[in-house]
Amino acid sequence: MRGLFTPQRLAIGAVCLAALVVCCGLAYWQWERFSAVGGTFQNLGYVFQWPLFGLFPAFMVWRIRKLDARRKAEEAAEAADGGGHEAAPEPVAAPSKPVVTVEPVRAPVHDDEDEELAAYNRMLAELNARDQR
């Protein structure tokens, strides 16, 4: 009980509460806009959306604490098992082979193919071969 009200927890709680109050105020404002003559269903959508935004910081705090507790439980279980960490295998060096380059295969131009398109494709193939070097 002693560590329940630490300054850090009080600050996080205050931020979560402030976010909820502000977002509920924005939801009320959107409700007033929806109730007015020019209100739309978009305003009604915001009425439901703003409280969810206000609850999100509290949800994140809960989720982070839950994940932290799970991580600590797993670490404690590993420590109780004797820390059965095996040494990471050392990376195996790839055998040094000479790099082999292959020239691109040039497809023959067909008679029914457009000459301009064929020239463009040859230019692209040459640029690709130049970039590969």
Side-chain angles (χ1 to χ4, degrees), residues 10-120:
L10 287 174
I12 291 172
V15 168
C16 290
L17 184 63
L20 183 61
V21 168
V22 167
C23 288
C24 285
L26 289 168
Y28 177 74
W29 169 63
Q30 287 295 329
W31 177 256
E32 291 296 317
R33 299 260 322 203
F34 174 71
S35 300
V37 175
T40 64
F41 283 106
Q42 182 177 9
N43 298 114
L44 183 62
Y46 286 137
V47 167
F48 298 113
Q49 188 176 3
W50 279 114
L52 293 176
F53 286 157
L55 290 172
F56 186 74
F59 169 75
M60 287 306 299
V61 169
W62 172 79
R63 180 76 175 147
I64 289 170
R65 290 184 56 134
K66 183 178 173 183
L67 290 174
D68 191 43
R70 182 185 300 167
R71 181 185 52 84
K72 287 179 182 176
E74 288 173 358
E75 287 177 357
E78 285 180 10
D81 290 342
H85 284 71
E86 297 179 8
E90 293 188 22
V92 178
S96 59
K97 293 182 181 177
V99 177
V100 177
T101 58
V102 178
E103 290 295 322
V105 177
R106 298 185 190 269
V109 177
H110 299 290
D111 291 334
D112 60 338
E113 190 175 64
D114 183 23
E115 186 59 38
E116 187 177 338
L117 177 63
Y120 180 72

Side-chain angles (χ1 to χ4, degrees), residues 104 106 117-131:
R106 298 185 190 269
L117 177 63
Y120 180 72
N121 286 336
R122 283 192 300 274
M123 181 196 68
L124 288 178
E126 290 171 7
L127 289 173
N128 185 34
R130 193 179 314 155
D131 285 345

